[in-house]
Amino acid sequence: MNAYLVLTIALPLLGAFLLPILMRSSIAIALWSGPAILIYGCWTIADIWLQGSTQPISIAIGGFAPPLGINLYIDSLALLFAFAVQLLGLIFWPFTLDQDSARRQSLMLLLVAASTGLALSGDLFNLYVFYELAAVATFGLASASGSSAAYVATLRYLILSGIGSVLTLFGIALIYSKTGTLNLAHLAQLAPAQLNDELGLTAFLSILIGIGVKAELFPVNTWVPEIYATASTRLSAFLAGLLSKLALLIILRLLLLIFHQPEAAQVLLILGILGVVSGELAAWRAKELRRMLAFSSIGQLGVMFIAMALPDGAGVLAVLALAIHHLIIKSGLFMLAEDWGGAIQRLRGSAKMAPLGAALFVLFSLSLVGMPPLPGFWAKFTLITELAGQSEPLYLIGLAVFLLATVIEASYLFRVAAILYQDAPRETLDHEIPKNEGLSLVTATLFGAGLIAAAVMIAPVGDSLNTIAVQVQDIDLYISTVNPGGSQ
Amino acid sequence: MGNLTGLLFAGGLGFMLLTLAGGLDFGTPPMLVGSEIQAHAPQQTGAVNIVTSVVLGYRAIDTLGELSILFAAAVSAGLILGRRHTTAGTQTKGGFILYTGGSLLFPLMMTIGFYIIFHGHLTPGGGFQGGVILAAAFFLPLLARPGARLHHKTLSLIEGFAGASFILVGLLAMMEGKAFLQPLLVQDTLGQLISAGTLPLLYLAVGLKVGAELASLLSRLIQTEAPQ
Amino acid sequence: MILTLLDELLLFSGVTLLVALTIGRGLAAGWMVTILYGGQLLALTKMAALGYEGGTIASSLSFEVMGQMLNWRFDALSWFFALITLGSALLSSWFSCGAWERDYIKQGGNIWLFHTAMALNVFTMLILLASGDLLSLFIGWELVSWAGFLLMALAGGVATKAAMRYITYAMAGGMAVFGGLALVYSASGSLQLEAVITAVEQISTTKLWLLVILFGGGFGIKMGLLPFHLWQAPAYAETPGPGSAFLGAISSRMGLFAILLVLVKLFGIVNIDNLKVPFTLIDARDLLAWLAVLTIILPTFTAMKQNDARHLLAWHGIGQGGYMLLGIVVADAMGGAGGLLHVFNHATYQAALFMAVTAVIYRTGTSDLNKLGGLVVRMPLSFMVLLIGIIGLAGLPPMNGFVSKWLVYRSLLNQGMPLLFLAAVIGTLGTILSVYKLIHNIFLGQLRVEHEHVAEAPWSMMIPMLILSAIIFITGLMPGIPLEWIASVLQTVGLPVPQYTLGGVESNSGSLDMIWVIGVLFAGFGIGAVIFYSAGRSKRVHQLDNYAGGHFLSADVRYQYSDNFYAGLMHLIGGWYRGSFLWLERSITSMIEFLSLGMQGLYRRANAEFYLLSTALFVIAWAVI
Amino acid sequence: MTSVFDPELILYTTAIGLITIGLAGVVMSSHLFRMVLALVIAEAGANLMLVLAGYRWDAVAPILTSLSEPAAMVDPVPQALVLTAIVIGVGIQALAVSLLIRIRQRYATLDRKEAAERMDSEIAASMGAARDVSQDAPLGERPLPPIPADQVNMRGGDAP
């Protein structure tokens, strides 16, 4: 029942609205309703997956055929990310019970609904609405830690994001003025004739800079280190792992479907290179694990922008592989950082206290720098073979920067690993050494297991990613599935 | 120096955007979707006000998202400003004229608010506009009597149930075998008060939600402790 | 599924790793693992046909991932390197069993980690040697790099620091290779060896230059090629004893293997020879040769300055790598054979030397050359092993090092490269001087008080050392044994093959027969001995019965000329290579440090909105105009 | 684009001018509240731009008055969009104001630079480490940690 897929957006919203009321009457029901909704969401999506139909479908909301109404476009990519949203929402669920837990859980459900919407929606303005919903929910959750620094960081983020939204809205207005439609499939039909000019390019760049705020695009990513250092690690994991990828996904769709100008790709390439350089270099001197991860995440997103800039959708497979790989790795690393916050020097001797955590850290780091049998290697391999095939020198510069950044990345990640495996300073007592335990360690182990599973089954995983990438690149399939202006 | 650069940059950007926008055909929009909607809206949604049929029909999920944003903002504000409310500022009353005026205006504003909500599918206006007026109605006594409080429990009940009923109406359509948020009960009574099927119900939910949301946001802001 | 011989070998190696992982903590673990290495060596000898006749044996293991075929196979080249790998692993592991192991545990070492790291290194090296295409080569390459890191880092403290430095270099090398891989792929559309060979013919000169630099640099880092050599000596030296013997013997030769495979076999020396350096008379091959010579000279003279026996040996390891590359780059029959023979010879004497030094450390607790001396009376067998080792290292007859160096020199002269020859000879001079420092400061002179009761190394250590000494001598006497394998290797990589005999090589420009050379040498020794004993004028004196500056020394004053050895020489030439390329490393590090600070400032001092505004302005302006 | 008083240009100028003013305001203000206000102005500009997208000469509001003969109406879609965009803006503004209130309570200032600096030092303190920039200066009464011997030379380049 594909129509039930709407419920993955509607039910979390319903739950979010009702949670504060439920919490007042029965805490037990309220506590479990959120996870139950997310489990149902996972199951719904997995169910569609298991039916095995690989053909994309389009669901018209309200029964109005696109382009009049809004539609959800569901292909393998959208399903994959929708599933990841629901699953990560469950994994990073704020279980803590205090006076604010109803609000926090409510915001989390809103964030999940918005993220699912971002993955599925096939309408430009609808994407904007979900984007804003995700932003507002993020602001709430980021400030929930209650420290003054968190408030300032959130406000700075809010203002930056707000300006970005203004630009996005401006871009949407330009597109609508020119074409008179907002449906992505319809736009894809019209774009070659109508948006293939400066106006279309400006619209894309406005939207890019606006949405780039969430996608950690250089240089509108200055919020990243502040927010990740002040917000809860779980939220940081969700933002760095998933939300940035969803923003990326939107940009990817826009680029593939509508904006084919080479200038668009070049801008992405240059900003991507700058992002890699700035992020990896800044991480090199970071003195705190979460900050290091934040900067490294900027660098990784930069790599994905480089991949996205490859002409004719050549980089789609690389973007996908890198995005999913980074999703697993960064989530896992942030989970480890939950107990390993504070100065990195403080972590000396942690490997003895928490051998599993340290081993996982090494595993994630190895995959991140692209140690061969691990999935990270294959993701990087797909990228560099595509980059090396380009004749334009800028792409080769991108390749060189990417490779150099990897060296720096390995250097700082393994500096941390070496500190973990050092002996603790003599005067330190055992209980003073930070060790990871409990839920966060279990979660990190889960991601580690996922990573190893992907490494073992790399051939089928690679094949299915390739299928997805081919499907994503097929513009005609997108248009014919949505069929805008066909049978009204 | 920095400020000057900022000003110059902003000006430059504005100039560039303006030159680009000048290339648009103003006043003759393509209206690809717009004219289609104009042609089909009365039959498909039963609402005379086509903006309403867009807001609650064609783009209903946008509206749902927008309600969620408002809700998220209210919840976040609650999270930030906390639960402890002490009356802020002066405890003095606003004076007789203000107080009486406020009391007098309250029922009037309520009436206007609900009128606008219920006629959203017929005339300009609707849930948002009506909701704001409702919020203003509740806010008036608060301004007149700074010590007074809004009942947050009730507000959050309205907030929750109004939002939920919007979704539930949408789910109802699904249970009927239709699409999520598809308008139901569209009769052939175009232009009547009782027309447009479930759209007025949705607008009522929107209005209540917006009203409750804004009222609770504003009262939360006003009730927060003054800085020491 | 039928297992091929290669499958058996890899499986055996994997089992060894598993055994080390599971029972590595047990008492008999060391012996168990050693026996398994022996088993692997046996499995390798079952493939001996590769070494003698050439051909390939493929593994039935093969994957297709993301459109890339991955396969593994062994040929003469792999077999030759695998033989050295397994031989040194077997002997190092044997050396570590028993006495050394107990001592290591007593000092707080983690023996499980040690055995596992060793087994992992061997396993990954075999995988690298078996690579059947460029992608599996890269996979093996990275695996070897990280396995090496584990072995180097496990001692903790200084060793971890050295290992961190190593891994940064290794990553840089790995990424250079990765980039080269991508370029090759874009040119040939495949990473299979045959496809690459055909693609190289059509590749443009610029691209081939880039590829040679990327691959040569990337693989060269592992070899310790100048100027990327700084990491190697501390990293190898600080590894636990048997580990450093193993690493010193074979680890950096993996770089040479990859160079042989990619630059020589796939690209072809001829193609590299055609790459001219613009505006000069030299080409890429000359460049490589000069780099190799510099790699001989600088590290060798740096070794002379070392005061720690292990560091001294490790620096020599870098220098000797230069000879191997030099021989291969010269690429005539004698040069190629000499370079490859030196790989084998170096492995034998380097392992023997590290073991002897480790034995000394085991007994005395130090490898500081300023705190040792006179041990010859207490550890005569170890002295013999060290002596044989340094004769090999210095390249003097009758040990095997002489043969390989002779071949390299001969080829340099034959090919008319006198400058290179001269430089190589200067390197050998440095070697002789510094190995003299090694043996003098440890074994000669007067015994120190604290070492009066030191005993000879235990037999568990002695036997592998003696075996190695025997190999050093026998292959010195009969270099035809390894030359037979090397002939097939040369054929495999497409280099000319020399005419070899059991005692050496034959050629028109000059032949070498070690059996004759050694016969004459021993005859000379014999005559000397006859004169010595028949004269009967010698008298045996105590070590302390000595005088200095015209004064007899009393027994309580020990006298050992070891501190600041070669002070005069250092005064003359030491300034020329002070720090060698440390300035390069330092400047890169501080540049990154500086940039990193700048980037952090960029993010911290951010006026984010201004960034947004200016980006929007520039991007739109650039795109629109 | 015939004359300066061309209505289309005036309207577009208004919309883009509002955005420009907002952007410049956000960049130039040193007060957090003013930044929020500037943001509101910019949003108004974007919304106006959106409404202009649907304007049509000589057309009426998109409400059916006579069923038989519908008049030319302006595009209803941008109007619906703008409604949504305005409400979104309101939500964000309310959230921003509540954050402002809290920041003012905690820091007793809304100066952009000062707030950012206090945030920075608070983050640094929560990490249990000195601020990155001031690592070479002693923290209060605490003496400097000894510089490891092997880093002495490398410290040269990074003095603040």
Side-chain angles (χ1 to χ4, degrees):
Chain A
M1 285 308 287
N2 296 334
Y4 282 131
L5 212 53
V6 180
L7 295 184
T8 56
I9 301 173
L11 284 185
L13 287 181
L14 187 66
F17 290 151
L18 291 179
L19 246 178
I21 304 170
L22 267 180
M23 197 63 106
R24 225 173 280 156
S25 50
S26 157
I27 291 184
I29 297 177
L31 272 187
W32 288 107
S33 57
I37 287 171
L38 296 179
I39 290 172
Y40 173 77
C42 288
W43 181 74
T44 314
I45 298 168
D47 191 40
I48 292 178
W49 209 303
L50 292 178
Q51 285 170 15
S53 71
T54 48
Q55 276 304 307
I57 46 169
S58 160
I59 299 177
I61 291 176
F64 303 104
L68 298 195
I70 293 170
N71 71 307
L72 302 183
Y73 179 75
I74 293 137
D75 58 356
S76 312
L77 179 66
L79 270 184
L80 182 67
F81 272 90
F83 184 74
V85 169
Q86 306 274 335
L87 188 66
L88 288 194
L90 196 61
I91 288 174
F92 298 134
W93 186 251
F95 275 111
T96 48
L97 192 61
D98 55 29
Q99 60 159 0
D100 283 333
S101 55
R103 289 185 172 126
R104 212 174 283 144
Q105 297 185 356
S106 184
L107 285 174
M108 191 69 198
L109 280 176
L110 288 171
L111 185 57
V112 167
S115 307
T116 314
L118 283 177
L120 300 181
S121 179
D123 184 279
L124 194 53
F125 191 79
N126 192 235
L127 281 174
Y128 169 77
V129 172
F130 280 128
Y131 178 77
E132 288 294 301
L133 177 56
V136 175
T138 308
F139 300 150
L141 286 169
S143 60
S145 69
S147 69
S148 318
Y151 291 140
V152 179
T154 310
L155 186 69
R156 282 161 66 98
Y157 181 24
L158 184 146
I159 292 173
L160 184 64
S161 170
I163 295 283
S165 303
V166 168
L167 279 184
T168 309
L169 205 54
F170 179 79
I172 293 175
L174 280 186
I175 291 177
Y176 191 82
S177 306
K178 184 81 190 198
T179 62
T181 182
L182 290 167
N183 187 283
L184 289 185
H186 204 188
L187 282 172
Q189 260 182 339
L190 301 174
Q194 297 195 14
L195 288 175
N196 201 8
D197 55 1
E198 286 99 41
L199 193 84
L201 196 59
T202 310
F204 171 72
L205 293 173
S206 308
I207 295 175
L208 171 70
I209 291 172
I211 291 186
V213 174
K214 275 248 181 307
E216 304 181 10
L217 177 73
F218 182 87
V220 285
N221 51 12
T222 48
W223 59 272
V224 171
E226 298 168 13
I227 289 286
Y228 290 179
T230 52
S232 78
T233 355
R234 282 158 182 269
L235 178 70
S236 306
F238 194 90
L239 292 183
L242 196 51
L243 205 55
S244 55
K245 308 297 177 309
L246 289 169
L248 198 82
L249 193 72
I250 297 171
I251 299 173
L252 181 69
R253 286 250 202 240
L254 290 181
L255 203 64
L256 284 177
L257 290 175
I258 304 171
F259 302 102
H260 304 290
Q261 291 96 324
E263 287 92 347
Q266 268 171 345
V267 167
L268 275 177
L269 183 60
I270 291 171
L271 292 183
I273 290 175
L274 290 174
V276 174
V277 170
S278 68
E280 298 292 5
L281 277 175
W284 201 72
R285 260 187 74 97
K287 302 246 182 317
E288 203 252 359
L289 193 54
R290 271 185 295 171
R291 230 167 213 241
M292 179 183 278
L293 295 181
F295 283 127
S296 129
S297 152
I298 289 175
Q300 295 291 326
L301 264 298
V303 173
M304 287 168 224
F305 279 112
I306 294 179
M308 208 148 57
L310 284 163
D312 306 323
V316 174
L317 178 62
V319 174
L320 277 183
L322 286 167
I324 292 166
H325 173 251
H326 187 240
L327 191 157
I328 295 174
I329 298 284
K330 268 294 141 63
S331 311
L333 281 174
F334 266 111
M335 280 338 294
L336 289 177
E338 189 161 60
D339 296 312
W340 279 348
I344 291 174
Q345 282 301 330
R346 222 164 48 92
L347 300 180
R348 278 192 290 171
S350 289
K352 279 223 175 66
M353 306 303 298
L356 181 60
L360 283 171
F361 183 88
V362 171
L363 175 72
F364 291 140
S365 305
L366 281 176
S367 192
L368 200 56
V369 299
M371 157 95 168
L374 296 172
F377 165 71
W378 294 106
K380 295 196 166 186
F381 181 74
T382 46
L383 171 63
I384 67 158
T385 44
E386 291 293 349
L387 275 178
Q390 302 299 324
S391 50
E392 202 156 331
L394 204 52
Y395 287 105
L396 293 180
I397 292 174
L399 175 63
V401 164
F402 166 66
L403 292 175
L404 286 176
T406 308
V407 178
I408 295 178
E409 196 172 25
S411 158
Y412 66 72
L413 281 173
F414 278 85
R415 200 161 49 202
V416 178
I419 287 173
L420 287 178
Y421 280 95
Q422 261 173 26
D423 287 330
R426 209 163 296 149
E427 65 273 19
T428 325
L429 300 171
D430 274 2
H431 65 87
E432 285 175 349
I433 300 171
K435 49 183 167 289
N436 30 34
E437 52 198 355
L439 195 59
S440 60
L441 185 61
V442 173
T443 318
T445 315
L446 214 64
F447 285 113
L451 191 70
I452 291 176
V456 171
M457 299 188 299
I458 189 72
V461 168
D463 289 344
S464 46
L465 274 183
N466 201 26
T467 323
I468 295 177
V470 170
Q471 199 182 52
V472 172
Q473 286 171 59
D474 195 344
I475 305 175
D476 295 330
L477 182 68
Y478 195 108
I479 295 173
S480 64
T481 305
V482 179
N483 191 19
S487 54
Q488 284 168 22
Chain B
M1 182 59 208
N3 277 353
L4 192 65
T5 329
L7 196 61
L8 278 176
F9 276 24
L13 185 65
F15 179 74
M16 241 169 15
L17 295 184
L18 192 59
T19 357
L20 278 167
L24 290 170
D25 298 329
F26 181 72
T28 49
M31 281 190 71
L32 278 183
V33 173
S35 48
E36 286 290 330
I37 285 182
Q38 276 175 17
H40 297 289
Q43 290 81 49
Q44 285 184 341
T45 64
V48 182
N49 184 346
I50 295 176
V51 177
T52 299
S53 54
V54 175
V55 168
L56 294 180
Y58 296 100
R59 307 194 72 90
I61 194 150
D62 274 357
T63 309
L64 180 58
E66 158 196 1
L67 289 181
S68 310
I69 290 175
L70 216 48
F71 179 72
V75 171
S76 305
L79 206 54
I80 291 163
L81 297 178
R83 287 195 163 177
R84 285 175 301 114
H85 306 300
T86 51
T87 28
T90 51
Q91 294 288 329
T92 50
K93 290 185 177 177
F96 176 74
I97 296 177
L98 210 54
Y99 176 62
T100 319
S103 308
L104 265 175
L105 276 175
F106 181 74
L108 283 175
M109 290 178 80
M110 290 293 279
T111 317
I112 294 173
F114 276 112
Y115 176 88
I116 289 179
I117 291 173
F118 283 126
H119 287 76
H121 55 297
L122 301 177
T123 57
F128 294 104
Q129 295 85 334
V132 172
I133 294 172
L134 287 187
F138 279 103
F139 207 56
L140 216 53
L142 222 59
L143 285 177
R145 284 194 294 182
R149 282 184 198 184
L150 283 183
H151 203 247
H152 270 285
K153 251 182 195 170
T154 328
L155 278 181
S156 77
L157 270 182
I158 298 174
E159 241 175 69
F161 282 126
S165 54
F166 191 101
I167 297 174
L168 287 176
V169 170
L171 291 179
L172 210 64
M174 280 186 91
M175 276 155 70
E176 297 262 309
K178 295 180 174 172
F180 180 63
L181 284 173
Q182 187 158 359
L184 294 173
L185 315 167
V186 181
Q187 325 91 319
D188 218 8
T189 52
L190 209 58
Q192 308 288 310
L193 184 60
I194 307 293
S195 67
T198 45
L199 292 198
L201 281 180
L202 289 183
Y203 247 167
L204 181 61
V206 170
L208 286 176
K209 187 149 177 77
V210 169
E213 222 79 83
L214 286 182
S216 77
L217 262 174
L218 289 172
S219 73
R220 219 179 270 292
L221 291 181
I222 212 172
Q223 284 169 358
T224 309
E225 297 168 65
Q228 265 76 54
Chain C
M1 196 171 87
I2 303 155
L3 290 180
T4 64
L5 289 172
L6 179 56
D7 291 336
E8 280 175 23
L9 175 64
L10 292 178
L11 208 62
F12 223 131
S13 192
V15 168
T16 313
L17 177 59
L18 271 182
V19 167
L21 263 175
T22 45
I23 65 158
R25 239 176 269 277
L27 271 178
W31 293 112
M32 194 82 169
V33 175
T34 307
I35 292 168
L36 284 169
Y37 286 133
Q40 291 180 44
L41 203 55
L42 275 181
L44 190 72
T45 52
K46 277 169 80 180
M47 291 193 271
L50 290 177
Y52 288 101
E53 287 141 30
T56 54
I57 294 178
S59 164
S60 48
L61 200 65
S62 162
F63 296 108
E64 190 180 343
V65 186
M66 304 223 170
Q68 302 295 328
M69 276 307 292
L70 277 175
N71 40 52
W72 286 271
R73 93 277 167 280
F74 250 46
D75 57 12
L77 178 65
S78 332
W79 188 84
F80 177 64
F81 277 88
L83 182 73
I84 303 171
T85 309
L86 286 176
S88 46
L90 171 69
L91 292 171
S92 314
S93 175
W94 187 345
F95 182 86
S96 75
C97 293
W100 184 85
E101 200 176 60
R102 279 194 294 278
D103 186 54
Y104 186 66
I105 296 172
K106 208 163 69 192
Q107 291 179 8
N110 184 346
I111 196 72
W112 168 77
L113 203 56
F114 174 77
H115 285 315
T116 310
M118 278 283 284
L120 186 66
N121 266 283
V122 174
F123 181 57
T124 53
M125 282 178 185
L126 289 180
I127 288 181
L128 171 66
L129 295 175
S131 37
D133 53 82
L134 282 187
L135 193 56
S136 56
L137 178 80
F138 181 73
I139 291 176
W141 181 258
E142 287 288 288
L143 284 173
V144 167
S145 293
W146 288 99
F149 174 71
L150 184 62
L151 191 55
M152 289 171 202
L154 59 83
V158 190
T160 315
K161 273 219 172 89
M164 281 308 299
R165 193 179 184 185
Y166 156 72
I167 203 60
T168 309
Y169 273 94
M171 268 317 280
M175 287 305 120
V177 174
F178 205 23
L181 209 66
L183 287 178
V184 168
Y185 183 74
S186 74
S188 66
S190 159
L191 291 171
Q192 300 302 309
L193 301 184
E194 300 75 30
V196 176
I197 291 175
T198 44
V200 165
E201 300 300 326
Q202 282 109 41
I203 239 167
S204 71
T205 317
T206 333
K207 217 163 188 184
L208 195 61
W209 253 117
L210 198 58
L211 283 177
V212 169
I213 290 172
L214 285 175
F215 281 119
F219 295 140
I221 283 178
K222 185 90 185 163
M223 287 187 50
L225 196 65
L226 237 64
F228 313 119
H229 62 294
L230 288 169
W231 63 271
Q232 200 178 81
Y236 284 6
E238 298 296 340
T239 307
S244 56
F246 173 70
L247 288 178
I250 190 64
S251 179
S252 54
R253 301 312 143 230
M254 293 298 140
L256 199 74
F257 165 79
I259 284 183
L260 274 169
L261 184 63
V262 176
L263 291 190
V264 178
K265 186 177 176 185
L266 297 189
F267 290 6
I269 283 288
V270 186
N271 288 326
I272 294 174
D273 200 26
N274 288 336
L275 290 177
K276 301 276 178 257
V277 178
F279 312 117
T280 58
L281 293 174
I282 57 170
D283 54 48
R285 191 173 139 201
D286 297 331
L287 211 63
L288 270 176
W290 277 104
L291 272 183
V293 162
L294 282 178
T295 311
I296 295 172
I297 297 176
L298 265 181
T300 302
F301 280 85
T302 312
M304 215 192 292
K305 288 199 288 196
Q306 302 304 313
N307 289 321
D308 186 304
R310 295 171 301 162
H311 282 259
L312 188 145
L313 289 176
W315 276 104
H316 273 302
I318 305 171
Q320 299 302 308
Y323 284 105
M324 305 168 197
L325 184 63
L326 187 60
I328 287 164
V329 170
V330 173
D332 65 348
M334 283 202 173
L340 281 166
L341 186 59
H342 204 55
V343 174
F344 180 87
N345 295 346
H346 178 71
T348 53
Y349 61 69
Q350 185 80 344
L353 287 169
F354 263 118
M355 284 179 188
V357 167
T358 309
V360 170
I361 297 173
Y362 172 74
R363 283 306 187 197
T364 64
T366 180
S367 57
D368 189 336
L369 290 175
N370 294 337
K371 292 181 181 159
L372 290 165
L375 283 174
V376 61
V377 289
R378 292 283 174 265
M379 305 175 74
L381 277 177
S382 305
F383 169 74
M384 276 308 295
V385 173
L386 193 90
L387 183 64
I388 291 173
I390 63 169
I391 294 176
L393 175 58
L396 302 173
M399 299 310 160
N400 55 11
F402 170 71
V403 186
S404 42
K405 284 194 181 176
W406 185 87
L407 284 169
V408 174
Y409 294 148
R410 193 72 237 176
S411 73
L412 285 174
L413 289 178
N414 284 350
Q415 298 296 315
M417 301 170 175
L419 284 178
L420 287 172
F421 171 72
L422 196 68
V425 170
I426 291 175
T428 299
L429 210 66
T431 317
I432 295 174
L433 287 177
S434 60
V435 293
Y436 177 68
K437 175 180 181 177
L438 180 73
I439 196 160
H440 168 268
N441 284 18
I442 296 178
F443 286 104
L444 306 181
Q446 293 180 341
L447 192 64
R448 295 173 81 95
V449 187
E450 62 265 35
H451 299 150
E452 295 233 327
H453 303 291
V454 161
E456 179 56 86
W459 283 108
S460 67
M461 296 184 173
M462 216 56 237
I463 295 173
M465 282 156 68
L466 291 175
I467 294 176
L468 277 170
S469 309
I471 296 175
I472 296 170
F473 180 71
I474 291 171
T475 51
L477 179 68
M478 295 180 276
I481 303 171
L483 276 174
E484 200 171 352
W485 309 324
I486 286 163
S488 352
V489 174
L490 288 171
Q491 210 154 28
T492 312
V493 298
L495 289 177
V497 182
Q499 281 213 311
Y500 60 89
T501 59
L502 185 63
V505 289
E506 272 180 16
S507 88
N508 301 330
S509 59
S511 307
L512 176 73
D513 192 339
M514 283 305 285
I515 300 174
W516 272 102
V517 171
I518 291 174
V520 170
L521 195 74
F522 275 81
F525 282 153
I527 296 166
V530 167
I531 296 169
F532 182 75
Y533 286 111
S534 58
R537 300 276 305 264
S538 73
K539 177 180 93 176
R540 205 178 173 82
V541 295
H542 192 267
Q543 242 195 342
L544 300 178
D545 185 5
N546 211 336
Y547 60 90
H551 292 278
F552 281 98
L553 299 169
S554 58
D556 55 318
V557 180
R558 300 295 163 98
Y559 211 81
Q560 167 73 328
Y561 296 97
S562 64
D563 195 47
N564 206 3
F565 213 75
Y566 294 133
L569 186 65
M570 284 303 140
H571 185 71
L572 274 177
I573 61 166
W576 291 10
Y577 58 93
R578 186 183 297 130
S580 63
F581 281 85
L582 214 55
W583 58 270
L584 186 65
E585 190 189 273
R586 288 245 169 94
S587 57
I588 291 176
T589 319
S590 37
M591 193 181 74
I592 291 179
E593 188 98 358
F594 178 72
L595 285 176
S596 170
L597 201 68
M599 288 304 168
Q600 284 205 334
L602 187 77
Y603 280 103
R604 194 174 38 237
R605 296 261 154 269
N607 184 341
E609 295 75 27
F610 182 70
Y611 288 174
L612 190 147
L613 177 62
S614 43
T615 317
L617 179 76
F618 286 126
V619 158
I620 292 177
W622 177 73
V624 169
I625 295 167
Chain D
M1 289 229 279
T2 45
S3 80
V4 189
F5 297 105
D6 191 339
E8 83 178 68
L9 212 57
I10 287 178
L11 286 168
Y12 280 136
T13 313
T14 318
I16 293 173
L18 281 174
I19 294 179
T20 310
I21 291 170
L23 278 175
V26 169
V27 173
M28 288 161 64
S29 0
S30 58
H31 194 273
L32 288 171
F33 187 58
R34 286 189 201 160
M35 290 174 80
V36 174
L37 286 183
L39 180 62
V40 175
I41 294 174
E43 264 169 18
N47 290 343
L48 182 54
M49 194 68 204
L50 204 53
V51 173
L52 292 182
Y55 184 73
R56 201 168 161 194
W57 295 118
D58 307 322
V60 298
I63 295 174
L64 288 180
T65 41
S66 86
L67 294 179
S68 52
E69 197 186 319
M73 287 187 270
V74 300
D75 195 341
V77 177
Q79 307 210 346
L81 300 184
V82 131
L83 202 55
T84 311
I86 289 172
V87 178
I88 291 173
V90 168
I92 291 178
Q93 287 151 29
L95 186 55
V97 170
S98 51
L99 279 168
L100 282 174
I101 290 175
R102 264 289 181 248
I103 293 170
R104 172 111 170 80
Q105 282 177 351
R106 294 280 177 89
Y107 286 162
T109 177
L110 281 178
D111 185 77
R112 172 216 284 244
K113 279 220 177 76
E114 210 170 307
E117 290 208 341
R118 294 189 58 169
M119 172 191 72
D120 246 11
S121 47
E122 199 176 310
I123 291 176
S126 75
M127 288 174 193
R131 277 178 63 178
D132 285 359
V133 274
S134 59
Q135 57 158 347
D136 290 357
L139 251 185
E141 295 300 301
R142 223 172 63 195
L144 271 175
I147 298 170
D150 57 328
Q151 285 178 20
V152 171
N153 290 331
M154 294 157 83
R155 283 282 174 113
D158 60 1

